[in-house]
Amino acid sequence: MLLQIVQYGEKVLHETGKPVTKFDAELAELFENMVDTMYEAEGIGLAAQQVGLPLMFCVVDLNGCDPDFDYTLDGAKPPFDLFMPMAIANPKVELIKSKELAYEEGCLSFPEIRGDVERTDWIRCEFQDLQGNPHVIEANGLLGRCIQHEVDHLNGILFIDRMKKRVLKKIQPQVNQLKAKTLQNLKKATR
Ligand SMILES: [Zn+2]
């Protein structure tokens, strides 16, 4: 089932997620629906906040992207398509000391708005899968960046919060316009 993606201007995007405590059929269904919604929107990651649920849960799938990055999962290097799409519950990200790189990011809650965000290249992320089993992924490049972007969402942090002032300044009119449009749509919906 496709879910509606929350647009910038809605409060839930600024909320910190509650920890996932039940690894049940309901979570499995949420995972399926979030993955379908992410594919439909042609995204590579989607956080629960973006479908209106302040929860420590996100999905990531980089299949089909240029595999110009490195990773280990639980200390091994399984083929990528074996663990994609990924369900990431209760993640804790640790930034591994490495170069900060700027890269143009987008976000499904900010249609057609893009801007450079500087992030650490390498991360280590502890998380739980759909069954509640603990894992550790270390990743750099697009995978490391995507996980950082999604885990930020789970903590109520948006990519515009991470942009340098001069980058944000350029897209601020589009961001304001989007916020106004979202608020207008919310008003219509409650009428
Ligand atoms: Zn996003």
Side-chain angles (χ1 to χ4, degrees):
M1 191 180 77
L2 293 181
L3 307 171
Q4 200 173 345
I5 298 179
V6 168
Q7 305 291 288
Y8 178 64
E10 290 207 37
K11 283 197 187 100
V12 66
L13 289 178
H14 303 284
E15 286 178 37
T16 302
K18 288 190 191 74
V20 175
T21 53
K22 283 188 203 145
F23 296 86
D24 55 6
E26 206 179 310
L27 187 69
E29 198 187 330
L30 176 65
F31 172 71
E32 293 292 332
N33 291 342
M34 283 175 66
V35 167
D36 287 350
T37 305
M38 172 177 70
Y39 290 161
E40 174 72 18
E42 296 180 3
I44 56 172
L46 188 66
Q49 273 81 343
Q50 293 180 281
V51 294
L53 299 169
L55 202 63
M56 283 289 174
F57 187 73
C58 62
V59 299
V60 163
D61 194 341
L62 265 65
N63 261 322
C65 292
D66 184 6
D68 190 15
F69 48 81
D70 208 358
Y71 62 89
T72 60
L73 179 65
D74 301 325
K77 195 171 176 179
F80 206 54
D81 49 352
L82 268 189
F83 65 97
M84 293 281 159
M86 273 179 94
I88 299 179
N90 303 327
K92 285 187 188 76
V93 165
E94 196 187 316
L95 306 177
I96 297 174
K97 203 170 157 37
S98 54
K99 244 199 311 210
E100 283 222 344
L101 301 173
Y103 185 87
E104 195 182 65
E105 289 187 18
C107 178
L108 295 179
S109 295
F110 292 78
E112 286 160 39
I113 297 177
R114 304 186 67 84
D116 276 2
V117 182
E118 283 177 31
R119 294 190 193 268
T120 301
D121 193 28
W122 272 101
I123 57 140
R124 179 179 188 276
C125 177
E126 290 180 25
F127 67 99
Q128 286 168 281
D129 64 19
L130 267 187
Q131 284 77 38
N133 300 313
H135 298 282
V136 179
I137 189 164
E138 289 192 11
N140 76 345
L142 189 58
L143 181 55
R145 176 173 291 271
C146 181
I147 292 171
Q148 290 182 71
H149 179 116
E150 297 314 322
V151 174
D152 269 355
H153 272 299
L154 308 188
N155 291 298
I157 299 164
L158 300 171
F159 76 148
I160 54 171
D161 303 329
R162 297 273 189 206
M163 283 176 191
K164 289 259 191 296
K165 271 199 187 119
R166 59 179 164 75
V167 177
L168 186 57
K169 208 174 163 186
K170 262 188 241 161
I171 59 165
Q172 194 69 56
Q174 283 169 278
V175 170
N176 292 346
Q177 215 169 40
L178 171 63
K179 188 173 183 177
K181 195 173 133 202
T182 302
L183 293 177
Q184 212 168 37
N185 287 341
L186 283 175
K187 234 189 206 170
K188 266 188 220 154
T190 53
R191 219 176 254 165

